[in-house]
Amino acid sequence: MANVQLLCDALPNIPWQERPADQTLPLWRYTENPIIARNPLPGVARIFNSAVVPYEGAFIGVFRGEQTNGVPFIYLGHSQDGIHWTFDKDKIQFVDENGQPFMPIYAYDPRLVKVEDTYYIIWCQDAYGAAIGMAKTTDFKTFTRIENPFLPFNRNAVLFPRKVNGKFMLLSRPSDSGHTPFGDIYISESPDMEYWGHHRHVMGKKNSNWWENVKIGGGAAPIETSEGWLLFYHGVTGTCNGLVYSIGGAILDKDEPSRVLHRCNTFLLTPEEWYEERGFVPNVCFPCATLQDSETGRIAVYYGCADSYVGLAFTTADEVVSYILAHDETDESDREVGRR
Ligand code: BMA
């Protein structure tokens, strides 16, 4: 075992189930999955691809709610245990920098990340093409938009939970206007969450690993560990019956996170259960958030299932890092700083 430390707060009330004896991969599913079923709210057909954080002794989250008109938006949810959720019936009402109402045309795949004393929401929205939208809150009552970080097209962005070398760090996947049959992960930095630059390539799809040979994208906010930044991401393969989304794992350099130190050549979780294989979009496991506890090394992964449900999976820092190290396969484009 790797004896890995999680450099985060203690979270004694983290949702948790022990590893089943017959488990071979380092992530194991919550036995009561999915934790959010269909039609969770009037006017919302499905909740999936959503993110949660600890808040005031309980949990709060931002949830992708697919409205019954088919348009996705972000809903706020609350939970005492991180498993049973109640949702605000209205979508989040954002305001702009002047306090005026701001409502994206659509909003999906939200991430929720606390940096210092502020909670940031990062999602995909229309900006004359699919682009990244962002907002901040300190009280989960007022949600103030921040300028879009990038030009279209970009659908997938993940903020680091602390500044690195004094800069905010954002992973993203630039793409095209279609359904993105390609894509690598890049990183950008900002002094103020408004102006982003020093863009670097982090990692690309991998032709030799078929489970991630079409595209990859950031998943949950990176977790700081004694080995570097632990990243759960999604990797996509193509079949004659469509795309399959699995969960992968990598470890990025602590001070220079565009460098990949370790990258697992197998998936950590792939669609196998009915709620992952069957739904609005079959065969999707799409990680968007984790909770972690520094005391025990426990990690809970929240992932979207088949664009229809939210699932929960568990691991420990030791188990997942040991597995990544045992299946480590990086190439030059992973290891380099990614600047050309
Ligand atoms: C991606 C995103 C995700 C979705 C996935 C599978 O491109 O749109 O929101 O879960 O496709 O449909």
Side-chain angles (χ1 to χ4, degrees), residues 252-328:
L252 314 180
D253 186 88
K254 198 181 176 69
D255 301 316
E256 209 168 5
S258 67
R259 291 185 190 278
V260 181
L261 302 180
H262 309 286
R263 179 170 176 175
C264 191
N265 63 11
T266 79
F267 51 72
L268 304 179
L269 195 96
T270 198
E272 285 174 7
E273 296 291 338
W274 66 265
Y275 50 87
E276 299 162 347
E277 291 181 334
R278 208 168 71 216
F280 189 71
V281 179
N283 297 315
V284 180
C285 293
F286 196 90
C288 289
T290 62
L291 297 171
Q292 44 276 337
D293 174 32
S294 58
E295 293 296 302
T296 56
R298 291 173 175 177
I299 299 172
V301 181
Y302 289 78
Y303 66 105
C305 309
D307 287 11
S308 300
Y309 314 97
V310 173
L312 193 51
F314 305 109
T315 187
T316 65
D318 268 355
E319 283 175 272
V320 72
V321 170
S322 299
Y323 184 89
I324 292 171
L325 295 181
H327 299 82
D328 191 6

Side-chain angles (χ1 to χ4, degrees), residues 48-49 64 108-109 155-156 173 179-180 215 234 243 245 281 284 286 307:
F48 56 99
N49 298 5
R64 171 177 175 163
Y108 65 75
D109 295 358
R155 294 187 173 81
N156 194 283
R173 186 189 57 210
H179 213 272
T180 333
K215 60 177 172 175
H234 68 260
L243 301 175
Y245 285 66
V281 179
V284 180
F286 196 90
D307 287 11

Side-chain angles (χ1 to χ4, degrees), residues 59-77:
F59 301 94
I60 201 163
V62 291
F63 292 82
R64 171 177 175 163
E66 217 84 334
Q67 301 170 112
T68 43
N69 65 2
V71 179
F73 217 88
I74 307 174
Y75 293 76
L76 197 63

Side-chain angles (χ1 to χ4, degrees), residues 238-251:
T239 73
C240 60
N241 248 344
L243 301 175
V244 178
Y245 285 66
S246 303
I247 302 179
I251 298 172

